[in-house]
Amino acid sequence: MAEQGFVALSLDLSFWGESEGKPRNAVSPDIYAEDFSAAVDYLRTQTYVDKEAIGAIGICGSGSFVISAAEIDPRIKAIATVSMYDMGAANRNGLRHSVTVEQRKDILAQAAQQRDVEFAGGQTEYTSGTPEELNDQSTAIDREFYDFYRTSRGHSPATTTHPTLTSNVKFMNFYPFADIETISPRPMLFIAGEQAHSREFSEEGYRLAGEPKELVIVPGAGHVDLYDRVNLIPFDKLTTFFQDNLGNPHTDEGER
């Protein structure tokens, strides 16, 4: 987006990557939303930024976090998501509602037991995320994420993608779409790959969002493709969306 002429700020969420926060790899949807608002705080203090023309892009799980932030922060004037995961629905229900209520209760019970262990000084347990190794039991989704996070495409020694077991259940109580329609009349753009396993979340977010809204399906693209495949990422659409709704960059009023 910087190459398109916008001021672009990228952030690691609290507890992850280069950002601070302990325990490491903790899940906290409220704090994740706050991170986006904190980024807006910073941008609005910069003299070269038009503080009334700030938009946000959320990729994968951050698509649901940026929606949550926008619901309570009207300073975010335009919202785009790419390969969005509703992390609440994904944990409660699984993809295509494959997780039963009983399975959900089992997960909650495991996390509760682990809280007792860790409070007593036991070792931290982690869950889900990208597998460290592939085997003949690995799913197509495992392989897709592995090809990004465990290779030179997206590997970082500071990020494991494995949340703590005890905190990950907080996603069960995370409902970013509950008030998504209240973001209107601020515009929303949902971008998903035609072949993405996560496409259901973008389609559901689009269905529930108020106007103006747009859903863009990228032909031939999977979920992870839209992380870094620059030949597939619709930069023209993102540029037009933010120009139309924030104003063109490089104006006398400052940078967008």
Side-chain angles (χ1 to χ4, degrees), residues 43-59:
L43 287 171
R44 285 170 64 91
T45 67
Q46 305 308 300
T47 58
Y48 52 86
V49 172
D50 180 352
K51 67 180 182 179
E52 300 303 329
I54 296 174
I57 302 173
I59 301 170

Side-chain angles (χ1 to χ4, degrees), residues 50-130:
D50 180 352
K51 67 180 182 179
E52 300 303 329
I54 296 174
I57 302 173
I59 301 170
C60 192
S62 285
S64 59
F65 309 146
V66 76
I67 288 171
S68 180
E71 287 168 352
I72 59 173
D73 193 339
R75 302 174 304 168
I76 303 175
K77 302 299 185 182
I79 301 93
T81 70
V82 180
S83 291
M84 191 248 294
Y85 249 80
D86 175 349
M87 294 301 294
N91 280 271
R92 281 189 303 275
N93 307 318
L95 295 172
R96 294 174 291 280
H97 289 255
S98 59
V99 173
T100 67
V101 173
E102 287 306 314
Q103 288 173 319
R104 185 193 309 172
K105 289 181 177 180
D106 286 343
I107 295 168
L108 293 173
Q110 292 171 21
Q113 292 172 0
Q114 183 61 28
R115 286 183 69 106
D116 290 338
V117 171
E118 293 178 18
F119 186 79
Q123 185 174 356
T124 302
E125 289 290 330
Y126 300 90
T127 185
S128 63
T130 304

Side-chain angles (χ1 to χ4, degrees), residues 5 24 42 45 69-70 88 113 116 120 131 146 150 180 182 195 209-211 214 220 225 246:
R24 301 304 295 166
Y42 172 78
T45 67
Q113 292 172 0
D116 290 338
Y146 183 95
R150 303 293 177 246
I180 192 173
T182 64
Q195 301 171 4
E211 296 288 352
E214 187 173 1
D225 287 332
L246 300 179

Side-chain angles (χ1 to χ4, degrees), residues 82-83 144 192-198 218-227 229 232:
V82 180
S83 291
E144 183 180 12
E194 178 185 30
Q195 301 171 4
H197 66 266
S198 59
V218 180
H223 175 87
V224 172
D225 287 332
L226 299 183
Y227 289 8
R229 303 296 194 199
L232 292 174

